[in-house]
Amino acid sequence: MTSGSTHTEPPAVEISGLTKAFTPPRSDTVHALRGVDLRIDRGEVVALLGPNGAGKTTALDIVLGLTGPTTGRAQVFGGPPRAAIGDGRVAAVLQTGGLLSDFTVEETVRAVAALYRRTLSVGEVLDRAGIAAVADRKVGRCSGGEQQRLRFALALLPDPDLLILDEPTAAMDVGSRREFWSTMHAEAVSGSTIVFATHHLEEAEAFADRIVLMARGRVVADGPVDQIRARATGSRVTAVWSPGPDEPAPEDLPGVTAVERTAGRVVLTSTDSDATARALFERTAARELTIGSRSLDDAFVTLTAEADAVTTEPEAAR
């Protein structure tokens, strides 16, 4: 985990005891956040993960000053979120909205730049967002990826200290996503604090210093990628093997807690991969054994399932 903070500086984001409840007409109260505590230091790159209904967007809306908590407190750079936003210290790249199709890309950036007291130059933000080549193109003729890069350019205008990205690559194909994250890597290297919500686990694993996993309005895991992955207990032992009549069943091997079967291959989840592999070598005709740690996907499923098991209140809605 990287951090650019000192003992005398407040963190980029600090929320404590945060709850948010909605009561739709003729419906039961929906608890979107249930006592969230979170600190993000300056210079960190943090991925906010969770299934639909986890509370990610609600938490980001509060940090952006778009809504207030029911109870608890949210601070950005030591003060109210709206104060930091008014000072140009915070900017966001959201999934949709905010673009006029009849404007060109450059006209859009110039129009938004006029709303600030001071900004980076239009040319610089177009270059940093990777859309200088389409500056004269009408927004309505831009691809989904180009429009999302335009939103990124608009977020860069005030040269913010904190960038918040809510599902920033939702409208992009694989190639566009790769190019977008290449651009974001450059921003991270420059020292910006970046918080992004995503459904793409590979993006979190490749880009974030730290993962905050949310489920049912709570933080259920928080730490470096390797630490979160390790929370999905056990290793994976994979082998080419079709058990014969005189061989033990995969479920009966030492350490095995789960078995997946494909054509001619088994994948064993084991709490003792050495013992499992030894038994395979000594007691079976298995071959081509590999041992590896479980994936971030496994941790995601395991930890959110644990949250589901302990949550009995009405489900979050966002």
Side-chain angles (χ1 to χ4, degrees), residues 155-175:
L156 290 177
L157 275 170
D159 196 17
D161 299 312
L162 171 63
L163 267 172
I164 293 179
L165 317 171
D166 188 10
E167 300 288 349
T169 61
M172 299 183 189
D173 57 27
V174 174

Side-chain angles (χ1 to χ4, degrees), residues 175-241:
S176 297
R177 290 212 314 262
R178 189 174 295 120
E179 292 174 0
F180 179 84
W181 285 116
S182 176
T183 303
M184 290 308 304
H185 270 291
E187 291 304 311
V189 169
S190 74
S192 298
T193 304
I194 299 174
V195 181
F196 66 99
T198 181
H199 281 91
H200 298 288
L201 298 182
E202 70 276 11
E203 291 183 349
E205 190 160 17
F207 185 64
D209 303 319
R210 171 183 166 200
I211 288 176
V212 175
L213 179 58
M214 295 186 68
R216 302 296 183 95
R218 296 186 174 94
V219 173
V220 297
D222 181 356
V225 174
D226 290 345
Q227 186 183 100
I228 300 301
R229 189 191 295 113
R231 297 271 305 265
T233 56
S235 300
R236 283 189 180 276
V237 180
T238 303
V240 175
W241 179 38

Side-chain angles (χ1 to χ4, degrees), residues 6-256:
T6 72
H7 293 299
T8 59
E9 293 178 324
V13 176
E14 188 167 30
I15 57 182
S16 56
L18 213 60
T19 71
K20 183 66 176 180
F22 300 92
T23 307
R26 297 182 297 278
S27 299
D28 293 332
T29 298
V30 176
H31 297 272
L33 297 175
R34 313 166 188 262
V36 172
D37 298 313
L38 181 64
R39 175 187 172 113
I40 298 173
D41 287 323
R42 302 180 190 214
E44 285 195 285
V45 179
V46 177
L48 196 60
L49 289 178
N52 289 332
K56 305 184 302 296
T57 296
T58 300
L60 293 181
D61 282 351
I62 291 173
V63 171
L64 287 169
L66 300 176
T67 188
T70 302
T71 62
R73 185 179 73 163
Q75 289 195 313
V76 179
F77 296 113
R82 289 189 178 183
I85 291 165
D87 290 338
R89 303 192 68 186
V90 183
V93 179
L94 305 179
Q95 295 183 50
T96 59
L99 301 178
L100 298 175
S101 60
D102 289 338
F103 279 37
T104 67
V105 167
E106 183 174 348
E107 286 170 345
T108 301
V109 176
R110 290 192 181 280
V112 174
L115 302 176
Y116 290 99
R117 290 192 298 272
R118 55 184 180 277
T119 68
L120 299 175
S121 71
V122 171
E124 180 176 353
V125 299
L126 291 173
D127 284 336
R128 284 170 62 177
I131 52 173
V134 296
D136 295 331
R137 185 176 299 170
K138 296 282 188 181
V139 171
R141 300 190 64 185
C142 291
S143 68
E146 288 167 343
Q147 290 188 15
Q148 197 68 336
R149 282 176 172 270
L150 174 55
R151 294 186 182 94
F152 177 47
L154 300 178
L156 290 177
L157 275 170
D159 196 17
D161 299 312
L162 171 63
L163 267 172
I164 293 179
L165 317 171
D166 188 10
E167 300 288 349
T169 61
M172 299 183 189
D173 57 27
V174 174
S176 297
R177 290 212 314 262
R178 189 174 295 120
E179 292 174 0
F180 179 84
W181 285 116
S182 176
T183 303
M184 290 308 304
H185 270 291
E187 291 304 311
V189 169
S190 74
S192 298
T193 304
I194 299 174
V195 181
F196 66 99
T198 181
H199 281 91
H200 298 288
L201 298 182
E202 70 276 11
E203 291 183 349
E205 190 160 17
F207 185 64
D209 303 319
R210 171 183 166 200
I211 288 176
V212 175
L213 179 58
M214 295 186 68
R216 302 296 183 95
R218 296 186 174 94
V219 173
V220 297
D222 181 356
V225 174
D226 290 345
Q227 186 183 100
I228 300 301
R229 189 191 295 113
R231 297 271 305 265
T233 56
S235 300
R236 283 189 180 276
V237 180
T238 303
V240 175
W241 179 38
S242 295
D246 298 326
E247 294 178 326
E251 294 85 350
D252 296 333
L253 294 174
V256 172

